[in-house]
Amino acid sequence: MKEQGKIFGGFAVFILIMAIVYGLWSKEPAGTTALFLAFGLCAFIGYYLAFTARRVDSGAGDNPEAEVADDAGEVGFFAPHSWQPLALAIGGALAFLGVIFGWWLLWWSLPIILIGLYGWVFEFYRGEDQNQ
């Protein structure tokens, strides 16, 4: 994590320099503001990673002599199949279409979004994939 913190810190410094150069050169407030906000986000992430690196054990990414296999392990559990993202995508698409065609469309999209979200949260509490 220490190396990732240094990378984000260096990236934050680079974005800060580019924000200053861009602001002085273009005198355009929207792009300059976006670059300064990007600097802030990179600085936050870099500080968090550097701060957390002091509290946890060093990983394989911090060891320059580490092999790829040193960082191997279980990544996590991923659902083998799920229809819930499709329901969320349809509900989200209807919600964004509501911005274009009228806010009344949100009445149709909100139940679809809630059904998809509820199904995604509780899909491993019932059915054939229970307790996986």
Side-chain angles (χ1 to χ4, degrees):
M1 285 187 139
K2 192 181 299 184
E3 292 300 318
Q4 289 94 344
K6 289 179 184 177
I7 290 171
F8 270 99
F11 194 48
V13 170
F14 172 75
I15 291 177
L16 178 64
I17 293 169
M18 288 299 112
I20 292 170
V21 169
Y22 181 81
L24 293 174
W25 193 353
S26 71
K27 300 193 181 359
E28 193 252 328
T32 306
T33 303
L35 284 170
F36 277 111
L37 289 174
F39 157 72
L41 289 173
C42 285
F44 282 147
I45 293 171
Y47 174 75
Y48 170 77
L49 289 172
F51 183 76
T52 306
R54 286 185 263 154
R55 291 177 166 37
V56 297
D57 296 333
S58 62
D62 295 325
N63 184 5
E65 298 176 4
E67 298 289 330
V68 174
D70 293 340
D71 207 17
E74 183 177 336
V75 177
F77 174 74
F78 299 98
H81 54 20
S82 179
W83 286 96
Q84 309 311 323
L86 180 63
L88 286 172
I90 292 171
L94 284 175
F96 284 112
L97 285 174
V99 175
I100 298 170
F101 295 114
W103 294 101
W104 59 269
L105 202 52
L106 288 176
W107 289 106
W108 293 96
S109 66
L110 191 60
I112 298 172
I113 290 173
L114 291 176
I115 288 170
L117 188 63
Y118 181 82
W120 209 355
V121 169
F122 294 110
E123 73 181 325
F124 292 110
Y125 285 90
R126 50 186 299 207
E128 65 184 42
D129 294 324
Q130 184 176 3
N131 296 328
Q132 276 194 1

